[in-house]
Amino acid sequence: RAKKSKKYAWLREYDSMALQESVRNLNKGYRAFFEGRAGFPHYKSRRGPQSSYHCTNVSVGPNYVRVPKMEPIKARIHREVVGKVKSITLEADAAGDYYAAVLWEDGLAEKEPLKEIYEDQVIGIDVGIKDLLTESNGRKEPNPRHLKHARKVLRRRLARAHKLVANARTDNLHKVSSRLVNESQALA
């Protein structure tokens, strides 16, 4: 009904399933709040750190994803989708990259769990800080220290950003002082 009114005509531009999903999520949030399992629901911004969109009636091609009411979205498909696509969840991370998780039905029978486990094929893993992990057979996987390497790059970028800010401030001070000197005979 709301879509037919002038005030909410903009709702026609969006997928009805997405609108229903947002109402379902809001309902879940309020239910959890009133049952004492969670805090009061907050507004979720589409530019937030974990912004996602779930919908059905989608299709996936070799280099695109198509969702209702939108043009095909150019995508890099990592696995071939074999079978009927059931739904898709599009997600944006804080860096501005988008990811799609596609749920499809391949028609294959579900695999049965293992009935026998051989002791020589079982490995215990101890996760650590110095080493990423140590296996029960004594083999160690070194920690690659990604953050340590990234900090060097971040320091240069941060230094560059600080330099740009400092230069902008200095430039502004020079412009203001030049204007004051040119317009006045004496400054106090």
Side-chain angles (χ1 to χ4, degrees):
R1 288 181 227 162
K3 288 182 182 182
K4 293 178 182 174
S5 71
K6 285 183 180 179
K7 184 176 180 182
Y8 298 109
W10 57 270
L11 288 172
R12 278 187 240 134
E13 298 173 20
Y14 299 98
D15 178 30
S16 63
M17 296 300 281
L19 298 172
Q20 291 170 11
E21 186 71 22
S22 64
V23 171
R24 269 189 230 107
N25 290 340
L26 181 64
N27 186 30
K28 273 193 235 175
Y30 276 117
R31 189 175 295 140
F33 170 70
F34 288 119
E35 290 173 359
R37 294 183 288 121
F40 190 77
H42 296 286
Y43 173 73
K44 182 178 174 185
S45 170
R46 68 179 177 178
R47 291 172 195 84
Q50 286 188 322
S51 181
S52 64
Y53 166 70
H54 179 83
C55 67
T56 56
N57 194 18
V58 296
S59 61
V60 178
N63 61 353
Y64 69 89
V65 174
R66 187 186 309 259
V67 295
K69 302 255 181 159
M70 287 182 71
E71 294 292 318
I73 303 165
K74 190 176 173 184
R76 197 176 308 149
I77 308 298
H78 294 283
R79 289 189 195 149
E80 184 183 356
V81 176
V82 181
K84 184 180 179 196
V85 176
K86 302 296 259 175
S87 68
I88 191 168
T89 301
L90 299 170
E91 187 173 319
D93 65 8
D97 295 326
Y98 289 85
Y99 298 92
V102 180
L103 176 68
W104 75 84
E105 198 172 273
D106 59 7
L108 301 174
E110 214 174 293
K111 291 184 179 180
E112 288 190 33
L114 294 173
K115 293 187 172 124
E116 291 184 20
I117 298 176
Y118 301 103
E119 192 174 318
D120 62 335
Q121 293 181 353
V122 176
I123 296 176
I125 298 173
D126 181 25
V127 180
I129 296 173
K130 182 181 172 195
D131 294 312
L132 181 64
L133 59 91
T134 305
E135 299 174 18
S136 58
N137 58 12
R139 185 171 156 197
K140 293 184 178 185
E141 184 70 34
N143 198 337
R145 311 270 186 218
H146 294 294
L147 182 60
K148 186 177 180 181
H149 299 300
R151 278 187 179 153
K152 291 178 184 174
V153 175
L154 289 173
R155 273 191 212 115
R156 284 194 205 108
R157 287 186 183 166
L158 185 60
R160 188 176 185 90
H162 279 296
K163 183 180 177 183
L164 288 172
V165 170
N167 288 347
R169 285 179 177 161
T170 305
D171 182 56
N172 188 47
L173 286 173
H174 287 306
K175 286 178 181 174
V176 170
S177 61
S178 295
R179 181 183 58 80
L180 291 171
V181 168
N182 290 338
E183 292 175 357
S184 309
Q185 289 184 354
L187 297 172

